[in-house]
């Protein structure tokens, strides 16, 4: 995959382009930022006909069902009128022809599949793992012959490999097996002997069940690719927000497994879990594969998903040098103002990420906090270590539980609150961000979002903003180095 282009598609009303140029992709974003829309677009690019076949109602005109199908993917469910656009490497999903690129997509729906046709009674037993059902939910191109005479034998090989992984890579004590010829899977605890093939959640927790399903799918994809792939095959594996349902240690083991066993695939990882995102990035860098990955952050701005690649930004020092050397051409100032704005928003979001603060529209969230006046962020560096709001609560509880009169306790609590809210480390960062926000021509102005400029952006104003941006970048990098990836 070199490029994926979306427009009028699910969460994306305006044109949106991803350009990995063959690299793997790690995409972080809050719920509602467009991650699942990207996964759905890739599904459309590769499995459009299969999706339409499942969607279409029996006995209904095909053209009618096609229009209904497309409208279900249109931004705001068709209110905009135009058909959705999905282009993979410049070619529309409607015009894609079979090629040597294959794409398997694992989503939360793959772990817990719903009925393929709305209104139909499911042929599968509830609260079970049926291999045929979960394999179909990945839309992987090779597993279409599960009725073949050797299907059970192939499934048995998959089960054996999964059990080997559970023992040697994941250090789990449960194992799986084939319960029936209908491809139902059982789980068994090797220590207690607990066994179940139905009502699984009654006997096993969700994290164990989801790990079993995820490994069944990953092993199947790997084995089927090895069986059917060729030297010129190109294969994509998309995993959309499924690791959150796993135990924390198993998330790390999943990353290790993916990096070692799927190195020949182009991986597209989408997550809203900042801890998993940071762990993945750390492990990629430690493996010396940073150049093979593109790390993007999705966020919502004015109701529309946006994305940035922080590593792709040039340093603020380079930006300032460019501004300083600029001869003050108005057009150049506009372009540089756009870059300053985007870098500023990215720094705010990076700040939100490493402090684990949660807001759907992160940049807007911080702007509201800044404009509200005295609303401190309870984060500070103390004796070289980061302290958070929980630490402040602990301090307050110690005062409450300690000795002293109520008046003394109130005074002590006020004093601690003052120490936190006036932290010189964090207050300086907030001061910088607030000053940058005051440059209205840069940050509340149409020119900084690529629109038509309404007023002249003067060179000295742009330079002043860049100087502050350099200081903000330096401060945030300092915090990131001390707080670390959590």
């Amino acid at each position: 995959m070199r490029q994926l282009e979306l427009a009028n598609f699910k969460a994306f009303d305006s044109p949106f382009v991803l350009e990995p140029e063959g690299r793997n992709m790690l995409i972080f974003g809050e719920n509602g930022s467009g991650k699942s829309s990207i996964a759905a677009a890739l599904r459309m690019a590769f499995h459009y006909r299969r999706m339409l076949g499942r969607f279409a109602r029996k006995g209904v005109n095909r053209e009618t069902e096609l229009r209904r199908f497309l409208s279900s993917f249109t931004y705001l469910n068709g209110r905009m009128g135009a058909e959705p656009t999905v282009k993979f490497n410049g070619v529309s999903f409607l015009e894609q022809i079979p090629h040597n690129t294959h794409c398997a997509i694992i989503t939360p729906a793959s772990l817990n599949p719903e009925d393929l046709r709305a209104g139909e009674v499911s042929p599968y037993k509830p609260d079970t793992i049926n291999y045929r059902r979960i394999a179909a939910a990945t839309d992987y191109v090779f597993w279409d012959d599960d009725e073949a005479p050797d299907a059970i034998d192939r499934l048995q090989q998959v089960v054996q490999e999964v059990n080997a992984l559970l023992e040697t890579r994941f250090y789990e004590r449960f194992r799986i097996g084939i319960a029936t010829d209908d491809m139902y899977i059982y789980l068994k605890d090797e220590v207690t002997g607990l066994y179940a093939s139905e009502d699984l959640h009654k006997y096993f927790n969700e994290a164990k069940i989801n790990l079993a399903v995820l490994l069944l799918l990953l092993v199947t994809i790997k084995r089927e690719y090895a069986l059917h792939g060729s030297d010129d095959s190109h294969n994509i594996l998309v995993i959309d927000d499924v690791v959150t349902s796993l135990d924390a240690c198993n998330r790390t083991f999943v990353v290790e497994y993916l990096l070692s066993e799927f190195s020949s695939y182009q991986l597209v990882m989408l997550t809203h879990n900042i801890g998993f995102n940071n762990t993945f990035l750390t492990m990629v860098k430690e493996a010396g594969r940073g150049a093979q990955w593109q790390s993007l952050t999705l966020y919502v701005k004015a109701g529309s998903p946006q994305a940035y690649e922080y590593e792709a930004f040039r340093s603020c020092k380079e930006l300032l040098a460019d501004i300083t050397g600029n001869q003050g051409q108005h057009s150049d100032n506009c372009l540089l103002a756009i870059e300053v704005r985007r870098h500023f928003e990215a720094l705010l979001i990076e700040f939100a990420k490493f402090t684990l603060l949660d807001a759907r529209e992160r940049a807007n969230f911080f702007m509201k906090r800044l404009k509200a006046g005295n609303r401190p962020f309870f984060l500070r560096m103390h004796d070289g270590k980061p302290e958070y709001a929980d630490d402040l609560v602990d301090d307050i509880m110690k005062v409450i539980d300690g000795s002293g009169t109520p008046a003394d306790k109130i005074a002590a609590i006020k004093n601690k609150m003052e120490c936190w809210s006036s932290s010189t480390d964090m207050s300086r960062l907030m001061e910088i961000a607030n000053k940058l926000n005051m440059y209205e021509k840069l940050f509340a102005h149409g020119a900084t979002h690529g629109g038509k400029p309404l007023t002249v952006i003067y060179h000295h104003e742009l330079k002043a903003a860049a100087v502050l941006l350099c200081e903000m970048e330096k401060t945030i990098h300092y915090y990131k180095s001390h707080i670390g990836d959590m």
Side-chain angles (χ1 to χ4, degrees):
M1 177 171 61
R2 298 184 303 276
Q3 184 186 79
L4 180 68
E5 181 181 347
L6 313 178
N8 199 36
F9 183 85
K10 292 181 73 67
F12 295 91
D13 54 343
S14 303
F16 180 87
V17 180
L18 294 174
E19 295 182 298
E21 294 296 341
R23 289 178 292 172
N24 303 304
M25 301 184 72
L26 176 63
I27 302 177
F28 169 81
E30 294 291 338
N31 290 329
S33 62
K35 299 187 307 299
S36 294
S37 296
I38 292 172
L42 285 167
R43 191 184 293 273
M44 287 282 277
F46 285 92
H47 308 295
Y48 152 66
R49 291 176 178 81
R50 188 177 302 186
M51 293 169 65
L52 176 58
R54 289 200 299 256
F55 181 89
R57 296 167 295 185
K58 295 179 180 178
V60 180
N61 179 272
R62 181 174 176 80
E63 289 300 318
T64 299
E65 291 301 273
L66 175 59
R67 289 193 297 271
R68 191 171 70 91
F69 174 74
L70 293 178
S71 69
S72 69
F73 289 92
T74 303
Y75 176 68
L76 294 181
N77 200 23
R79 295 178 195 171
M80 301 292 288
E83 289 187 354
T85 295
V86 175
K87 291 184 179 181
F88 181 86
N89 292 344
V91 180
S92 169
F93 72 95
L94 293 168
E95 301 169 357
Q96 289 285 344
I97 59 175
H99 40 56
N100 62 345
T101 300
H102 309 292
C103 185
I105 302 172
I106 301 177
T107 69
S110 305
L111 305 188
N112 299 284
E114 299 178 355
D115 295 340
L116 297 181
R117 295 177 186 271
E120 290 189 359
V121 178
S122 173
Y124 300 104
K125 299 175 184 178
D127 202 9
T128 59
I129 300 173
N130 184 276
Y131 183 69
R132 182 176 289 120
R133 189 184 191 191
I134 63 172
T138 68
D139 275 321
Y140 197 49
V141 294
F142 295 133
W143 193 253
D144 288 336
D145 55 350
D146 58 359
E147 300 290 349
D150 65 340
I152 287 292
D153 292 336
R154 288 196 290 163
L155 174 55
Q156 185 61 54
Q157 294 171 7
V158 170
V159 167
Q160 290 174 356
E161 187 169 342
V162 169
N163 283 333
L165 289 172
L166 289 171
E167 180 180 5
T168 62
R169 276 188 180 266
F170 291 82
Y171 307 99
E172 289 285 355
R173 69 184 196 182
F174 78 92
R175 302 292 181 265
I176 67 172
I178 304 173
T180 69
D181 289 343
D182 292 335
M183 296 188 173
Y184 283 95
I185 302 297
Y186 69 75
L187 271 64
K188 181 180 179 180
D189 190 307
E190 294 286 276
V191 176
T192 65
L194 188 65
Y195 170 98
S197 62
E198 299 182 27
D199 298 323
L200 290 177
H201 285 83
K202 182 178 179 180
Y203 303 99
F204 294 90
N205 67 45
E206 185 177 25
K208 307 301 182 188
I209 297 170
N210 287 343
L211 177 61
V213 176
L214 179 61
L215 291 181
L216 278 166
L217 293 174
L218 290 174
V219 169
T220 296
I221 292 166
K222 182 171 68 76
R223 292 178 66 89
E224 292 296 303
Y225 165 62
L227 181 64
H228 296 279
S230 60
D231 292 339
D232 63 344
S233 295
H234 303 287
N235 297 276
I236 300 171
L237 174 59
V238 181
I239 299 182
D240 177 20
D241 246 346
V242 301
V243 297
T244 302
S245 62
L246 305 181
D247 292 336
C249 61
N250 282 338
R251 297 173 196 167
T252 301
F253 297 150
V254 166
V255 176
E256 291 178 338
Y257 178 65
L258 290 171
L259 292 179
S260 64
E261 299 298 321
F262 288 84
S263 58
S264 63
Y265 277 67
Q266 185 176 12
L267 297 176
V268 179
M269 305 294 301
L270 303 111
T271 183
H272 75 275
N273 187 294
I274 185 62
F276 177 75
N277 179 84
N278 292 346
T279 296
F280 207 115
L281 279 177
T282 298
M283 295 179 70
V284 165
K285 291 176 181 177
E286 288 180 351
R289 301 185 186 178
Q292 301 170 15
W293 284 83
Q294 181 183 46
S295 175
L296 295 177
T297 296
L298 287 174
Y299 67 104
V300 178
K301 179 70 178 180
S304 181
Q306 311 285 332
Y308 69 85
E309 181 182 7
Y310 188 74
E311 297 297 328
F313 282 106
R314 56 177 170 166
S315 71
C316 288
K317 286 185 177 180
E318 293 176 319
L319 177 58
L320 177 59
D322 197 357
I323 292 171
T324 302
N326 179 35
Q327 298 302 312
Q329 295 297 320
H330 174 53
S331 58
D332 291 339
N333 279 348
C334 286
L335 293 175
L336 290 168
I338 292 171
E339 187 174 355
V340 169
R341 166 70 188 199
R342 289 174 178 169
H343 203 150
F344 174 52
E345 287 186 350
L347 284 171
L348 283 176
I349 296 167
E350 290 298 304
F351 170 65
K353 285 166 64 179
F354 79 77
T355 56
L356 301 183
L357 294 173
D358 183 18
R360 180 178 175 183
E361 297 193 33
R362 292 179 180 272
N364 289 345
F365 167 75
F366 279 109
M367 290 299 95
K368 290 176 183 177
R369 297 280 295 195
L370 291 170
K371 292 177 181 178
N374 295 323
R375 297 188 64 185
F377 291 87
F378 292 110
L379 167 72
R380 69 175 182 176
M381 298 297 294
H382 183 65
D383 292 335
K385 297 180 180 179
E387 293 186 345
Y388 304 92
D390 287 345
D391 298 302
L392 173 59
V393 173
D394 288 342
D395 287 347
I396 292 174
M397 292 304 299
K398 289 177 182 177
V399 172
I400 293 174
D401 294 337
S403 59
T405 66
D408 290 339
K409 291 182 177 181
I410 291 174
I413 291 173
K414 286 183 176 180
N415 181 61
K416 289 188 176 295
M417 295 285 288
E418 176 62 25
C419 288
W420 275 78
S421 61
S422 62
S423 166
T424 56
D425 293 321
M426 190 53 60
S427 62
R428 180 56 184 153
L429 178 59
M430 292 298 100
E431 180 185 347
I432 295 168
N434 201 28
K435 283 184 178 180
L436 281 166
N437 188 50
M438 293 298 291
Y439 284 82
E440 186 174 355
K441 291 179 183 177
L442 295 175
F443 303 133
H445 188 283
T448 62
H449 292 283
K452 183 179 179 180
L454 301 178
T455 59
V456 174
I457 299 174
Y458 291 104
H459 181 72
H460 68 277
E461 295 174 323
L462 188 58
K463 184 174 179 179
V467 169
L468 287 172
L469 200 65
C470 286
E471 190 171 348
M472 184 177 183
E473 181 184 61
K474 180 180 178 181
T475 305
I476 287 179
H477 285 183
Y478 166 79
Y479 270 93
K480 291 183 74 172
S481 67
H482 283 74
I483 293 176
D485 295 328
M486 295 171 288

